[in-house]
Structures are given as structure tokens and as C-alpha cells.
Amino acid sequence: EPEVTQTPSHQVTQMGQEVILRCVPISNHLYFYWYRQILGQKVEFLVSFYNNEISEKSEIFDDQFSVERPDGSNFTLKIRSTKLEDSAMYFCASSEVGRYYGYTFGSGTRLTVV
Amino acid sequence: QQPVQSPQAVILREGEDAVINCSSSKALYSVHWYRQKHGEAPVFLMILLKGGEQKGHEKISASFNEKKQQSSLYLTASQLSYSGTYFCGTEHELQGAQKLVFGQGTRLTINP
């Protein structure tokens, strides 16, 4: 079964440093998403991406965040200057075209900011 | 706008039934249901589009009441493997197609 692949599985970074989280969506999917989940809490929407541009973003997704699809397979989330409160599990997801399909989530990257 | 789920937690014995509710204050276009086991990613269960349809997936089914902006997830004859946290996700009529917002989750524990 096709999978969404995320790397790394766990990243520890110092406050103020930049991090890049990487995702390889399912190959025939055209919609891509980033969500985050602070330990034990709800899954929060960050951003959706379609046709090489941001479709929707939440109020969490401020100027320190950016997304990119640098080539035909990777989808990245960059956090420019990490804060302690950015510590969370970050999930990438992808879906097929249209509003009729569920999302397939990757296994996540646990980001710890110290 | 975040949907509201109820109850927050349910504890059942294997074989018992459960209902998890999801409601929104805004007009809904679709409702998704996902299950997340501890330390894992959410897994898609089903999607319901406006029209009040009911869908089924083994012993797990769901309904969508468009007029009340509510969806319910039904788990019948629960199995140990059903344990986990269930999230509904909603898309609203007037927003873009790609903004699925999740509720706070319902933790389901199935005991033998």
C-alpha cells in the first residue's frame, strides 16, 4: 500500500535554529498538508498546498514557517527560528484530487526544541 | 472553526457498542473520521459529504445530519483493536477545499 514518508523521525534542535522537515507524498496525490500535534492534544492544521502554492493556512502558520516542493517528489516544512513551543509531532499528509478523498498521513517527525 | 466532539473518553468492554458525536456551528461540506493509536499517525476511516448519507466500514459506520451540522460514528460489537483516539475533521461550505480542521478527539478504551 502506498505510504507517505517523513524524515527524520525525530529531531532535536536548539531554540533559534532553523529546521527542515521532509516528506515524500504518495506519487499520484496532488494535495499536500502539514499538521502538528502537541503531545496528547488535538491534531492542528498548519497549511495545505496545491499546484505549487499554498491553498490555505492557519493562524499558527506565521512568517517563521514556509513550505516548498523543491522537486517532483519532496514536500518540505521549514521553521526559521524555532521556539520552545514549536516542540510537537509534525505530520505530513497527502490526498488525491477533489474533496472526496481522505488524507493519508505520514508517521510523523517528533521535533524537540531545547 | 474547530468541531466539538463528545464524549471526550469512553471505556467499554469488548463486544459493547459506542457512539461518538461531532458537531459544528458552521455549515459543513464534509466530515472525515480518523483513528489514531498511541504513537502512530491518524488513519483515515471514512468521509461523508453533505446529503445525510451513511457509510459503513466493517462494524464501524457513520452518519451525517446536514441540517444539524452533526456527524456520528458508530462502533458496534467493539473489538480490542478499536482502541485509540478518534478524530472527526470538518470542511466548511464557505472555506477552501483544502482546510480540514480536527476536533479535540475521543479516547476509546476497549477492555477484555
Side-chain angles (χ1 to χ4, degrees), chain A residues 31 33 35 37 40-43 45 48 50 55-59 89 91 99-103 105-107, chain B residues 2 29 32 34 36 40-42 44 47 49 87 91-93 95-104:
Chain A
Y31 291 99
Y33 314 88
Y35 284 81
Q37 186 175 35
Q41 299 185 25
K42 65 173 180 168
V43 180
F45 172 80
S48 59
Y50 171 70
S55 302
E56 296 280 348
K57 60 182 181 179
S58 71
E59 55 278 3
M89 180 73 90
F91 290 107
R99 301 179 78 167
Y100 312 103
Y101 298 95
Y103 295 7
F105 283 82
S107 54
Chain B
Q2 178 189 347
Y29 183 85
H32 295 217
Y34 292 78
Q36 184 181 34
E40 299 181 7
F44 173 70
I47 183 172
L49 303 178
F87 292 96
E91 284 186 322
H92 296 288
E93 282 263 310
Q95 72 184 38
Q98 295 91 45
K99 185 176 181 181
L100 188 68
V101 179
F102 288 97
Q104 79 278 21

Side-chain angles (χ1 to χ4, degrees), chain B residues 45-112:
Chain B
L45 295 175
M46 64 189 77
I47 183 172
L48 300 102
L49 303 178
K50 72 172 187 176
E53 65 177 290
Q54 183 148 353
K55 291 192 113 175
H57 178 75
E58 297 179 342
K59 294 179 183 176
I60 301 174
S61 61
S63 63
F64 179 16
N65 187 322
E66 184 184 337
K67 289 182 181 177
K68 293 185 177 180
Q69 309 305 329
Q70 290 178 349
S71 178
S72 295
L73 185 71
Y74 307 94
L75 300 104
T76 57
S78 58
Q79 304 169 12
L80 294 176
S81 62
Y82 288 179
S83 291
T85 299
Y86 289 77
F87 292 96
C88 70
T90 56
E91 284 186 322
H92 296 288
E93 282 263 310
L94 298 180
Q95 72 184 38
Q98 295 91 45
K99 185 176 181 181
L100 188 68
V101 179
F102 288 97
Q104 79 278 21
T106 296
R107 181 170 293 183
L108 178 64
T109 303
I110 311 292
N111 293 319

